[in-house]
Amino acid sequence: MQYDDETIQRQAERLNLTGREKLQQRFRTETVCNGIGAAWFPAWLRRLLDRRHPTLVPVAWIHDLEYDEGGSRLDRLKADWHFLTNGFRAAAGTYAADQLRRYAVMFDALRFFVLLRIGGAPAFRFTGAKAGKR
């Protein structure tokens, strides 16, 4: 499934995701956002993850933009934290409280958050004097 900028932006607005205003930067979204998964993942794997987790695609786009903006270790933690909280917000805004899918998406967001904290540093654009210290 291909996602376009307008669809992702509408979803982010509807779900009131943190950082949704970043999605208005069309040139950046076209060059930076690649869906769920690291840029070094094969395209087929990212497409598979997008299909498996469509609720988290806008969350991943915002996260991609925040990683591309870069900054300090604290900025990376904030970006990862936004992924987690936006993932929970997207799940709650998409599925009713009595739907198991809501909690499956929340669990997946938590799982991805842990993976980001463990292995996301190489993808983050560290800047500043302590850029090399992760």
Side-chain angles (χ1 to χ4, degrees):
M1 173 181 284
Q2 278 296 45
Y3 295 95
D4 63 85
D5 293 347
E6 285 186 32
T7 302
I8 295 296
Q9 188 172 359
R10 277 196 309 273
Q11 287 177 321
E13 291 290 337
R14 181 181 60 79
L15 296 167
N16 197 30
L17 300 181
T18 301
R20 63 190 176 277
E21 68 282 349
K22 295 175 188 331
L23 296 171
Q24 294 173 1
Q25 303 167 4
R26 297 283 195 243
F27 177 75
R28 285 190 66 225
T29 60
E30 290 173 8
T31 57
V32 172
C33 300
N34 63 6
I36 299 173
W40 55 266
F41 283 9
W44 66 265
L45 180 55
R46 288 194 312 271
R47 283 192 304 272
L48 179 71
L49 290 170
D50 287 354
R51 284 191 190 115
R52 169 81 172 91
H53 308 283
T55 309
L56 297 177
V57 171
V59 174
W61 278 38
I62 293 169
H63 188 261
D64 286 348
L65 292 168
E66 290 181 338
Y67 260 43
D68 186 62
E69 287 173 4
S72 66
R73 290 174 33 194
L74 180 59
D75 293 323
R76 178 176 166 241
L77 176 59
K78 286 180 188 177
D80 293 346
W81 182 252
H82 289 162
F83 183 93
L84 178 63
T85 58
N86 279 341
F88 282 15
R89 188 173 290 160
T94 304
Y95 303 103
D98 63 347
Q99 290 181 295
L100 290 178
R101 184 73 178 149
R102 177 183 195 162
Y103 305 102
V105 171
M106 287 178 172
F107 178 75
D108 289 340
L110 177 60
R111 193 166 43 160
F112 289 149
F113 170 78
V114 170
L115 291 172
L116 286 166
R117 295 308 305 153
I118 292 170
F124 188 80
R125 187 182 310 260
F126 285 98
T127 60
K130 298 186 180 188
K133 304 220 180 191
R134 296 182 178 134

